[in-house]
Every structure is written in structure tokens, then in C-alpha cells.
Amino acid sequence: MSKETKGILFALLSYLLWGFLSLYWKLLSHVEAYQSFSYRIVWTLVTMSFYILISNRTKFFKSQMKTLSSSKKASFSILLAGIFISINWVTYIWAVGHGQATEASLGYYMMPLASVLLSIIFLKEKLSLAAKLSVLLAFCGVAYLVFQTGHVPFVSLILALSFSIYGLIKKNVTLSSDASMLVEAIIILPLALFYILVISKTPLSHYTFTENILLAFSGIVTAIPLLLFAEGVKRAPLNKIGFIQYINPTIQLCIAVSIFKEPFDKSSFLGFLLIWIAIFLFAIGQFLEGKSIKQNELME
């Protein structure tokens, strides 16, 4: 098996795991979203600390921390990254637990297009014709959903923008994926502990044995797909991985409609259809652009 094939398989597995993650959080729907999030942070810290120890990466992690501490810009960036990934996680957990999994899936469909918009605003990147049409169609799709439902899909917008901003911020951080995940958990830990110990009125004894086990495993559930994705990106080009990223929200949508029995009427379908067409145009544009660059490199 080639290096690239392995990378695509790693990325595919990560997207499949993320897609089915809504089932996991649905099992914890009786646990308050902020409580689930706080324990997720605690157990992610434990999981990543254990991973770094058993993989003999302690020295590497220390060197990464020295590099991070020597740059105020990088330190501030990782702090902001921790804040925005927290917003994303809390919103997603809340959405699944409150019958908004369909809207959550829409957010992840919109995420690549939101990233494009941010790259225009902050990185001054130019858009291809396909990308411009994609953004316009996606905007029309969201506008149509707002018009038909009478409310702005805040869950979708928060998920799309928070993860896109998170990705934009991480461009300024050179930490490895495992070190970054551990540092972000450390940054958010005081807030999580404050909520658990001071604000929350519900002890763990209030929850069932199954719910406590699920909370304990939330760190592993968080870490595994992220590490798989990081390994996939190392081995395969982003333009190929980009094609399979829509597996995640597609699985989420199927689960929301078929298992969670969330409503998905004609109006919702038409709004989603516009966004799906936008994504298709965007993906095709990315593929053709990548192919053109590769051909130019070969000619040179």
C-alpha cells in the first residue's frame, strides 16, 4: 500500500468516526452540554498525556513547549485556538442533545466555504470562478432556509465559523497535532474545572453507570479521529482528502433524519440542495485547480 493510499484511508477513517460521533453524544443527551464538554476536556488531557508518555514523545513535547513559550504570537494563537475549538465542541454537543443534529450537519457542510471566506478576508486570497459561485450558492441556500423556517440557523453558522476560525488560527502555530491537542486541553482545563467544581450543581453520582463510562471515554473519542486525520494529512495531498471530508456531515444528516427522527421537509431539502450544489462546484474547482498546478510543475 502506497504512502498516499494510507493517508487517504487514515483520513477516511477519521471522517467516518466524526460522522458517527453524534450517536455517542446522543447517548449523553441527559447530561448537560456544559458538563459533557467539561469532562471531555479533562479526559482529553488525561488521554493525550498518556499517549505522549507511552509513545515516548515526552522530550519532543518539552521541546515544542519551549518553542511555543519563546513566541508571544504563537502562544496567543494557541490560546485563541483553544477558545474557538471549545465553542465548536460545546455547540455540537448541545445541538445533538437538543434535536438540532440536522442543523449541526449543515454547519459542517458549510465549513469549507466559511474557510474560503475567511481566507479572502484575512489572507487576501483570490477566488476562482468556481469558488465564487460556490459561496454565492451557499449564501442563497442559507438565505432560503432562513426565509422558510423563520429563523437564522445559528447552530450551523457557529459550527462552521468556529471551526474555520480555529483552522485559520492554527496556520500560525507550528505545534504537532498531539502536542497542540494537549496544550489546548491544558488551556481550557481551568474553565472546565471551575464549571465542574463551582458552577455545576450535578455530581457524577447523579448520572447512570453507562453515562459515567461514556464521559470517561470522551477523551479517547476526541483524540483518535484527530490523530488519524493528522496522520492522513501527512501522507496524502489535501485536494484528495478534501473530496472525502463531506462524508462526515452526510453521515450526521442521515443519522439525524433516520435515527433521531428530526424533521427534514421539502423546504429543508431545497435549502440543503443549494448548499450541496455549492459544495460540488467547490470540490470540482479545487480538484481542477490542483490538477492544473501539478501539470504546471511537471512541465517545469
Side-chain angles (χ1 to χ4, degrees):
M1 189 182 294
S2 69
K3 180 182 176 182
E4 184 177 304
T5 303
K6 284 182 181 178
I8 292 171
L9 286 175
F10 279 136
L12 176 62
L13 187 53
S14 69
Y15 285 128
L16 287 171
L17 290 173
W18 275 325
F20 286 104
L21 199 58
S22 58
L23 292 171
Y24 191 91
W25 296 115
K26 193 69 171 180
L27 293 172
L28 285 166
S29 59
H30 296 298
V31 180
E32 188 180 11
Y34 299 113
Q35 189 98 331
S36 293
F37 165 75
S38 298
Y39 281 107
R40 183 181 188 178
I41 294 300
V42 172
W43 285 109
T44 296
L45 177 65
V46 172
T47 302
M48 293 312 302
S49 299
F50 182 69
Y51 169 79
I52 284 172
L53 283 171
I54 63 169
S55 60
N56 199 27
R57 289 169 66 82
T58 308
K59 288 183 179 178
F60 175 73
F61 178 72
K62 287 179 180 178
S63 68
Q64 293 263 288
M65 291 306 96
K66 285 181 181 178
T67 304
L68 180 65
S69 60
S70 65
S71 170
K72 289 183 179 180
K73 185 179 179 181
S75 299
F76 182 66
S77 294
I78 202 73
L79 173 63
L80 283 179
I83 292 169
F84 279 101
I85 198 63
S86 299
I87 293 170
N88 185 272
W89 286 356
V90 170
T91 304
Y92 183 71
I93 294 169
W94 181 90
V96 172
H98 288 78
Q100 299 292 322
T102 302
E103 200 165 307
S105 71
L106 175 63
Y108 287 109
Y109 274 124
M110 292 165 55
M111 189 266 293
L113 299 176
S115 296
V116 169
L117 282 175
L118 291 176
S119 69
I120 297 168
I121 296 168
F122 294 102
L123 303 179
K124 308 301 180 184
E125 293 182 0
K126 293 182 179 180
L127 282 184
S128 64
L129 179 60
K132 288 177 182 178
L133 288 172
S134 299
V135 171
L136 179 61
L137 276 172
F139 177 79
C140 291
V142 173
Y144 181 81
L145 287 171
V146 171
F147 176 76
Q148 289 295 327
T149 61
H151 76 278
V152 177
F154 285 111
V155 166
S156 304
L157 294 173
I158 291 170
L159 287 173
L161 288 172
S162 60
F163 202 81
S164 300
I165 293 170
Y166 172 74
L168 182 68
I169 292 168
K170 291 295 285 288
K171 284 182 177 290
N172 297 319
V173 181
T174 56
L175 290 180
S176 64
S177 56
D178 51 357
S180 180
M181 203 187 313
L182 179 54
V183 172
E184 287 163 20
I186 291 170
I187 288 169
I188 310 163
L189 183 65
L191 185 63
L193 289 176
F194 181 77
Y195 183 82
I196 292 169
L197 299 174
V198 180
I199 298 177
S200 176
K201 306 296 181 183
T202 309
L204 282 175
S205 57
H206 175 78
Y207 302 118
T208 65
F209 176 76
T210 301
E211 287 170 337
N212 275 292
I213 292 295
L214 289 171
L215 286 172
F217 275 89
S218 61
I220 296 174
V221 167
T222 299
I224 290 175
L226 278 171
L227 292 173
L228 283 170
F229 178 74
E231 291 302 312
V233 169
K234 287 178 188 177
R235 292 170 170 82
L238 278 174
N239 65 318
K240 291 189 177 181
I241 289 178
F243 264 105
I244 60 173
Q245 68 181 308
Y246 300 107
I247 289 173
N248 170 17
T250 301
I251 294 172
Q252 289 183 31
L253 178 61
C254 291
I255 289 172
V257 176
S258 62
I259 298 177
F260 301 160
K261 304 299 180 184
E262 292 186 11
F264 192 70
D265 54 20
K266 185 180 178 181
S267 298
S268 298
F269 175 77
L270 290 174
F272 268 76
L273 183 61
L274 285 171
I275 293 165
W276 288 333
I277 294 170
I279 289 163
F280 178 75
L281 282 175
F282 177 72
I284 292 296
Q286 290 289 96
F287 175 76
L288 293 175
E289 189 177 341
K291 194 173 181 181
S292 176
I293 291 170
K294 195 170 183 180
Q295 285 176 345
N296 290 335
E297 287 174 351
L298 289 171
M299 288 174 68
E300 290 174 2

